[in-house]
Amino acid sequence: MKVEAKPEMVSATEKMTGADVLMNALVEAGADTIFGYPGGAVLPIYDALYRSQAPFQHVLSRHEQGSVHAAEGYARVTGKPGIVMATSGPGATNLITGITDAMMDSLPLVVFTGQVASSVIGTDAFQESDVLGITTPITKYNYQVKHVSEIPRVVKEAFYIAASGRPGPVVIDIPKDVSAAVTTETFSSDFHLPGYQPTKQPNPLQIVKLADALSRAEKPVILAGAGVQFANASENLKQFAEKHQLPVVTTLLGLGTYPGSETLSLGMGGMHGTYAANMAIYESDLLINIGARFDDRLTGNLKHFAPSAKVAHIDIDPAEIGKNIKTDIPVVADADEALKMLLEKAVSSMNHEPWLKKLQENKSDYPLWYEQSDKEISPQWLIEQVYTQSSGKAIVTTDVGQHQMWAAQFYKMEKPNRWVTSGGLGTMGFGFPAAIGAQLGAPKDLVVALVGDGGFQMTFQELSVIKEQHLPVKVIIVNNEALGMVRQWQESFYEERYSESVFSSNPDFVKLAESYGIRGMKVDKEANVEEVLQEVFEYEGPVVVDCRVVQLSNVYPMIAPGKGIHEMVGVTK
């Protein structure tokens, strides 16, 4: 909710608490939305929030995990750091999954945690946890504030670190005595980080090498990752691909960085990628990776990944280059800056028509497929209907699992900043709270949370938030009464021993939604889906739709563990 207008924020010459100094620092940082949950160690901060006239809103989640995932959704859609506030001990530890998720998916967060008073740190005081020790491996940087004077600098520095270079989460731990301390001084927010200078401009010689390799390539392909989005490089990527007639494969998190309906688009690569995308990588002689990290779900068996290709890798994080795949042309740079320089090069490309023709034949001969059901709803068909009825213009958030892969396959993303999913960590419960942050970040846009019945039950308490905030989020539950991807793996690799992966009892999701004062709907026949979705998208408020889909439907194609990118199963019926 919006913070009520209370007495004006005190000036620097009057008495201020450390928490008041923090409010001013957040204003200076341009904060407009905070996701949080109060507790003892942050009471001085929440009191300052109540008293302030700060131009930002606080969104009260119903669990700290909801706060951090909402902040991730906000960050993904806006490109600005998501801001999280939680208390010490269990409040801070409840954020760990989301912080890790943001670290793996390079999402900028600034996370404030309360801490017990400085005098009792290290004594196992009530609700004490070692936040610095816990978050060191899962943050880009972290701080524990020792004195009020540090607050303006630390906050400004944290926002810069979170959003610059390769984005990521930053944690600021504030002991209660520091936030409660009183001061009349004014403190500088200036900072200098000589050891942290991300390289944005590419080495011109490496660009020359890449251009030369492109001029010699007969079977080039672009691999576009989330780094294209973070660099706001989608337009230059499109120009580069069209100028040289280069086919484009996207990673899971790169969806939308290149329009999915374009002829040069081959779709998503990797474990559940398209046949055309994976074979393009396998047969290529030049692979140009722009902002992707060559994770295992993309590459499969490394021995068979682009075995004949010269590999160029453009990435702002030098640690990623050569980490998993041998790189012939390393380009440490911001993706947009590298693309600008490449576009300026006069490159005489070879004739790619035979290559493009073969790839288009692969697209037409081996399309994504599914079997239509004459009883329950086919989940893949459901996603296609969501795409059609939303005119392909929705911001789509998902949990992890089968529905996530079907959404990646069948909801074509045309623009960046529209696809919000958990990639590296694969976090159940992510999709719904992320939709809350996405809606707050893009209040005029249609936001659809495509979630599984399992993941939704991990964070559905945040239904209170969309009711309280009047957020028109549309929740589409792909309900197969199972942990779908777990069940699929048990079918494929464990001789159909469905150990604890099928639900014998689910709640009535319609009544659940209605108990929160939100409209609930149920659909279990394909004949009714179109009408229901039309009604959902015309409705101005939030809706929860329980869609009963085929339980035994699987995600195909699939690359089994240990197999190469060309060794897909389920390519055809």
Side-chain angles (χ1 to χ4, degrees):
M1 63 180 179
K2 284 284 186 183
V3 178
E4 295 181 25
K6 295 296 176 183
E8 292 188 5
M9 294 180 70
V10 289
S11 68
T13 56
E14 297 174 342
K15 288 185 178 180
M16 300 179 71
T17 66
D20 293 322
V21 175
L22 175 61
M23 292 300 109
N24 286 343
L26 287 170
V27 172
E28 184 181 342
D32 56 30
T33 306
I34 297 175
F35 302 92
Y37 201 97
V42 287
L43 284 180
I45 296 173
Y46 274 85
D47 187 59
L49 181 69
Y50 183 85
R51 291 184 286 103
S52 77
Q53 284 188 331
F56 45 72
Q57 63 178 333
H58 179 276
V59 178
L60 175 64
S61 66
R62 296 308 190 262
H63 190 284
E64 289 89 356
Q65 185 177 357
S67 295
V68 69
H69 291 330
E72 288 184 274
Y74 174 92
R76 180 75 175 175
V77 166
T78 66
K80 299 188 295 185
I83 306 171
V84 183
M85 191 82 67
T87 194
S88 64
T93 58
N94 279 343
L95 299 175
I96 297 305
T97 296
I99 294 171
T100 309
D101 190 275
M103 184 68 174
M104 292 194 72
D105 287 353
S106 304
L107 293 173
L109 298 183
V110 178
V111 180
F112 295 91
T113 57
Q115 185 54 273
V116 299
S118 302
S119 60
V120 293
I121 290 177
T123 68
D124 293 330
F126 177 67
Q127 291 195 329
E128 179 187 2
S129 62
D130 180 5
V131 173
L132 289 189
I134 293 170
T135 63
T136 293
I138 57 170
T139 53
K140 195 172 176 184
Y141 200 70
N142 61 14
Y143 303 83
Q144 187 173 84
V145 178
K146 303 295 185 183
H147 190 272
V148 176
S149 62
E150 299 174 5
I151 292 175
R153 174 190 60 79
V154 165
V155 171
K156 189 172 183 180
E157 193 172 283
F159 275 84
Y160 172 72
I161 291 172
S164 59
R166 179 179 181 173
V170 177
V171 166
I172 302 175
D173 195 42
I174 306 178
K176 188 174 182 179
D177 57 308
V178 175
S179 60
V182 177
T183 184
T184 58
E185 296 182 62
T186 300
F187 306 110
S188 171
S189 62
D190 291 344
F191 67 88
H192 180 49
L193 298 173
Y196 176 69
Q197 300 292 331
T199 302
K200 294 192 67 174
Q201 296 297 324
N203 183 322
L205 293 178
Q206 297 303 100
I207 295 296
V208 169
K209 288 181 182 178
L210 205 166
D212 180 64
L214 179 58
S215 70
R216 301 169 185 270
E218 296 180 5
K219 299 178 180 180
V221 64
I222 292 173
L223 176 66
V228 175
Q229 174 173 296
F230 299 142
N232 297 312
S234 290
E235 184 55 40
N236 281 330
L237 170 64
K238 190 170 185 292
Q239 288 185 35
F240 179 61
E242 291 176 352
K243 178 180 179 180
H244 299 289
Q245 287 297 287
L246 304 174
V248 181
V249 175
T250 57
T251 65
L252 174 66
L253 294 180
L255 290 170
T257 56
Y258 187 82
S261 62
E262 290 286 333
T263 302
L264 289 171
S265 173
L266 301 179
M268 181 178 70
M271 178 173 282
H272 294 295
T274 67
Y275 178 84
N278 285 340
M279 292 307 295
I281 292 174
Y282 181 70
E283 296 177 351
S284 66
D285 62 4
L286 175 64
L287 177 61
I288 305 173
N289 177 347
I290 308 176
R293 61 184 180 87
F294 285 132
D295 72 286
D296 61 301
R297 284 297 173 102
L298 170 73
T299 63
N301 188 321
L302 295 176
K303 183 173 67 173
H304 300 295
F305 185 79
S308 302
K310 176 172 284 191
V311 176
H313 189 172
I314 300 170
D315 205 297
I316 200 163
D317 184 356
E320 289 297 340
I321 296 178
K323 185 176 78 174
N324 295 327
I325 296 293
K326 181 180 178 296
T327 301
D328 301 289
I329 307 173
V331 182
V332 179
D334 175 88
D336 200 45
E337 295 300 326
L339 283 166
K340 286 177 183 176
M341 196 173 289
L342 282 167
L343 284 167
E344 293 171 356
K345 294 293 180 186
V347 179
S348 299
S349 301
M350 298 185 71
N351 180 12
H352 299 152
E353 284 303 316
W355 173 235
L356 294 175
K357 181 181 178 182
K358 181 176 182 180
L359 297 180
Q360 291 304 314
E361 288 173 352
N362 284 344
K363 282 177 69 173
S364 60
D365 292 346
Y366 303 101
L368 294 169
W369 63 273
Y370 57 88
E371 293 180 347
Q372 201 90 19
S373 172
D374 56 0
K375 294 181 180 179
E376 296 167 298
I377 300 167
S378 301
Q380 303 93 330
W381 181 84
L382 173 65
I383 303 298
E384 287 186 322
Q385 294 307 304
V386 173
Y387 174 79
T388 299
Q389 297 304 323
S390 65
S391 302
K393 296 180 179 178
I395 293 173
V396 176
T397 74
T398 80
D399 279 333
V400 67
Q402 287 184 315
H403 71 278
Q404 176 193 37
M405 293 297 104
W406 288 321
Q409 290 175 336
F410 291 99
Y411 198 105
K412 290 185 174 63
M413 288 291 160
E414 300 299 310
K415 297 179 180 179
N417 308 307
R418 316 290 292 177
W419 172 245
V420 184
T421 195
S422 174
L425 194 61
T427 305
M428 289 183 68
F430 172 89
F432 176 46
I436 292 172
Q439 189 73 83
L440 286 163
K444 295 182 180 179
D445 290 339
L446 171 64
V447 176
V448 177
L450 284 167
V451 296
D453 48 314
F456 183 60
Q457 289 184 76
M458 290 189 171
T459 50
F460 71 72
Q461 70 275 357
E462 304 306 321
L463 286 167
S464 288
V465 178
I466 61 173
K467 175 65 175 178
E468 193 171 79
Q469 296 285 332
H470 309 290
L471 301 177
V473 173
K474 316 303 182 189
V475 182
I476 309 293
I477 304 173
V478 184
N479 184 358
N480 56 12
E481 297 186 313
L483 298 174
M485 193 62 83
V486 175
R487 187 211 56 76
Q488 178 173 337
W489 277 56
Q490 288 173 336
E491 175 187 326
S492 300
F493 308 116
Y494 295 89
E495 299 177 338
E496 300 185 12
R497 294 189 293 272
Y498 300 128
S499 177
E500 306 299 327
S501 60
V502 178
F503 296 134
S504 59
S505 177
N506 262 344
D508 184 325
F509 289 112
V510 174
K511 290 181 179 178
L512 179 68
E514 291 173 345
S515 74
Y516 283 89
I518 293 168
R519 186 174 184 182
M521 302 175 74
K522 176 183 173 181
V523 59
D524 54 12
K525 292 182 174 61
E526 289 193 355
N528 300 330
V529 168
E530 184 176 343
E531 180 182 352
V532 168
L533 289 178
Q534 286 176 352
E535 190 174 344
V536 166
F537 293 139
E538 289 172 2
Y539 184 66
E540 292 185 357
V543 187
V544 174
V545 190
D546 180 7
C547 301
R548 300 300 179 91
V549 302
V550 179
Q551 185 178 70
L552 299 181
S553 191
N554 290 332
V555 181
Y556 291 119
M558 181 179 182
I559 300 171
K563 297 296 184 180
I565 198 168
H566 63 303
E567 298 176 295
M568 290 164 277
V569 296
V571 173
T572 58
K573 291 184 182 181

